[in-house]
Amino acid sequence: MARSRLLILAGAVIASPAAAQTITVTPLVDVRLRHEHVDQDGIAANADATTIRIRSGVQASTGHWSATVEAQGNLAIVGDYYDGLNGTASRPLIADPQNVALYLAQVQYRTPALAITAGRQRIALDDERFVGNAPFRQNAQTYDAVRVEWIGVPNLKADVTYAWDVRTIWGIDGVGTRQQGIGGDNVFANIGYRTPIGTVTGFAYLVDQDEVLVQGYRLSSQTYGARFAGTRPIGKAKLAYQASYARQSDYHRNPIDYAADYYLADIGLDLNGPKLGAGYEVLGASSGTALTSFQTPLSSLFKFQGWVDKFLTTPADGIRDVYGSAGYGWKAIGALQAVSLQAVYHRFESDRAVRHYGNEIDLLASARVGRTTASVRYADYDADRFGNDTRKLWLQLDWTI
């Protein structure tokens, strides 16, 4: 009831004094057409999903205030796949179920020093390793929350969110372990200080997956850590770097007593065309039993540890990911803009009782023409002691106004 009153009050405030001012209305349209093909050893039939995702809405703003409402729908044009909710797993999983839902419904007050956002909103913190929007999936992840961002001191930013519901990628048919929304008293606190060589961030993420059907509360965790990220010019080139450490343990109703560590070191070099990168990420293990390793259930998971998505839930023995990347980018080639080629190699091992899980190669080509971006992705996971060999191909068009 208190949450509802808060949103009603925020709406009343925007509607009163702001009514006498000029109101700017901006339409929002975002369309994505994608074909995804999956060939996975151990499952006789392949999966093919051709889906079209449409988001449309409107943003009204006046003075320091704005209100945004956006709906989304996902339609399967070709539905030869297991979407995680409907049918049986006789084909590989592609986690894009059909859906019609409210995507955003938020009110925001913003000044140069302060932003307060209330309602259903996108939240993506730092590199989205711990809290993200899952933008790659057709039904992205949003939060019913109140968020406060404060920049009242030069170079210092405080960002604190209370979220009482996580709206998942599973959409309106979500059920059981894959629910439409997962309630809980989540708190995301993030304080960053910008220095001449990068930003130092301290964070605390209290994730409350307060639903018994979602792993019996065992994804509830408290994570505390620090991150450093920055860029430096080197002649005409640019060096990017980041490092992070965090410690995670059980929280709220989680019946398991555990603690696990997280480490990340990453470096990238942009040579004004050629691009090189390398990194090492560890999601540590605790006792070696299920869900006692470092978990990130609110992450934008597709961005990390390979596009085949073998490690959405961290294995009981944790994971070590050594990766390297190479690519090339062009500002324009004829009518094509922002042309990019990328290749990434991952070697995966367990953190506890070190053994080789497998290797993965990810390839990406993308280009933009006007408001349309076209991309082709391919991922090949070669299993050793974890999972099955899997190959995925994506053909995608994105259009937005």
Side-chain angles (χ1 to χ4, degrees):
M1 181 63 71
R3 297 164 184 161
S4 301
R5 288 175 180 169
L6 176 62
L7 298 181
I8 291 170
L9 177 60
V13 172
I14 190 174
S16 51
Q21 302 179 24
T22 300
I23 298 177
T24 301
V25 178
T26 304
L28 305 171
V29 181
D30 177 349
V31 180
R32 176 191 286 166
L33 175 65
R34 180 162 70 208
H35 178 78
E36 182 171 345
H37 172 82
V38 183
D39 176 7
Q40 179 175 321
D41 286 7
I43 300 179
N46 294 336
D48 286 284
T50 302
T51 55
I52 182 168
R53 194 278 317 283
I54 300 175
R55 291 190 187 131
S56 63
V58 65
Q59 181 180 81
S61 58
T62 179
H64 296 302
W65 292 92
S66 67
T68 305
V69 177
E70 192 172 3
Q72 74 174 6
N74 184 48
L75 173 67
I77 302 170
V78 175
D80 297 330
Y81 68 104
Y82 175 52
D83 67 11
L85 300 172
N86 302 301
T88 60
S90 57
R91 294 179 185 271
L93 171 68
I94 297 177
D96 290 325
Q98 297 193 98
N99 182 44
V100 176
L102 182 65
Y103 179 60
L104 297 179
Q106 69 178 47
V107 175
Q108 184 179 81
Y109 174 82
R110 178 177 288 276
T111 71
L114 177 68
I116 302 174
T117 309
R120 185 161 301 174
Q121 58 191 281
R122 281 185 292 260
I123 299 177
L125 300 178
D126 295 324
D127 60 354
E128 302 185 60
R129 192 37 166 138
F130 303 108
V131 179
N133 178 228
F136 183 78
R137 298 270 50 110
Q138 297 288 54
N139 305 311
Q141 180 170 271
T142 56
Y143 301 81
D144 291 347
V146 175
R147 182 181 184 184
V148 178
E149 300 166 82
W150 178 76
I151 315 174
V153 175
N155 299 319
L156 181 69
K157 179 181 179 181
D159 188 335
V160 179
T161 297
Y162 168 67
W164 58 87
D165 201 17
V166 179
R167 312 305 297 180
T168 75
I169 65 171
W170 302 110
I172 57 174
D173 293 328
V175 67
T177 60
R178 294 167 172 161
Q179 296 189 10
Q180 175 183 357
I182 302 174
D185 296 315
N186 302 277
V187 177
F188 315 136
N190 193 311
I191 299 178
Y193 184 77
R194 190 174 61 213
T195 75
I197 60 172
T199 299
V200 180
T201 304
F203 54 82
Y205 301 132
L206 309 183
V207 175
D208 185 16
Q209 302 274 273
D210 199 18
E211 302 283 350
V212 67
L213 293 178
V214 181
Q215 303 291 354
Y217 310 116
R218 292 183 298 164
L219 289 177
S220 294
S221 64
Q222 51 187 329
T223 300
Y224 304 93
R227 181 174 185 267
F228 174 73
T231 59
R232 295 287 290 176
I234 303 177
K236 294 183 178 180
K238 183 171 70 174
L239 179 68
Y241 41 83
Q242 58 177 320
S244 185
Y245 169 77
R247 179 76 166 172
Q248 182 179 96
S249 59
D250 50 286
Y251 177 66
H252 200 204
R253 294 205 221 181
N254 192 330
I256 303 174
D257 183 12
Y258 81 99
D261 294 316
Y262 171 86
Y263 305 90
L264 170 71
D266 182 278
I267 192 167
L269 184 62
D270 185 340
L271 298 168
N272 197 25
K275 303 175 192 296
L276 300 171
Y280 180 56
E281 185 181 45
V282 178
L283 278 72
S286 180
S287 65
T289 58
L291 301 179
T292 62
S293 50
F294 199 105
Q295 302 294 327
T296 61
L298 302 185
S299 169
S300 292
L301 292 164
F302 183 82
K303 292 179 60 177
F304 303 93
Q305 298 177 340
W307 300 337
V308 170
D309 284 345
K310 287 296 180 182
F311 304 101
L312 299 182
T313 299
T314 308
D317 287 330
I319 183 169
R320 300 178 182 177
D321 177 13
V322 179
Y323 57 89
S325 65
Y328 203 99
W330 298 262
K331 291 182 179 179
I333 300 178
L336 302 178
Q337 299 176 316
V339 180
S340 177
L341 300 175
Q342 182 185 32
V344 185
Y345 172 79
H346 295 265
R347 177 180 173 83
F348 302 113
E349 294 181 343
S350 65
D351 179 54
R352 180 179 178 275
V354 178
R355 63 187 186 280
H356 183 222
Y357 284 153
N359 303 321
E360 181 170 327
I361 295 175
D362 299 326
L363 305 173
L364 170 65
S366 65
R368 178 170 52 84
V369 178
R371 296 181 181 276
T372 303
T373 299
S375 61
V376 179
R377 294 176 187 262
Y378 177 75
D380 187 339
Y381 176 74
D382 181 15
D384 185 359
R385 298 185 182 182
F386 187 91
N388 298 320
D389 292 352
T390 304
R391 293 150 295 279
K392 294 188 177 184
L393 173 69
W394 298 267
L395 307 174
Q396 183 169 311
L397 292 174
D398 289 275
W399 180 87
T400 186
I401 63 171

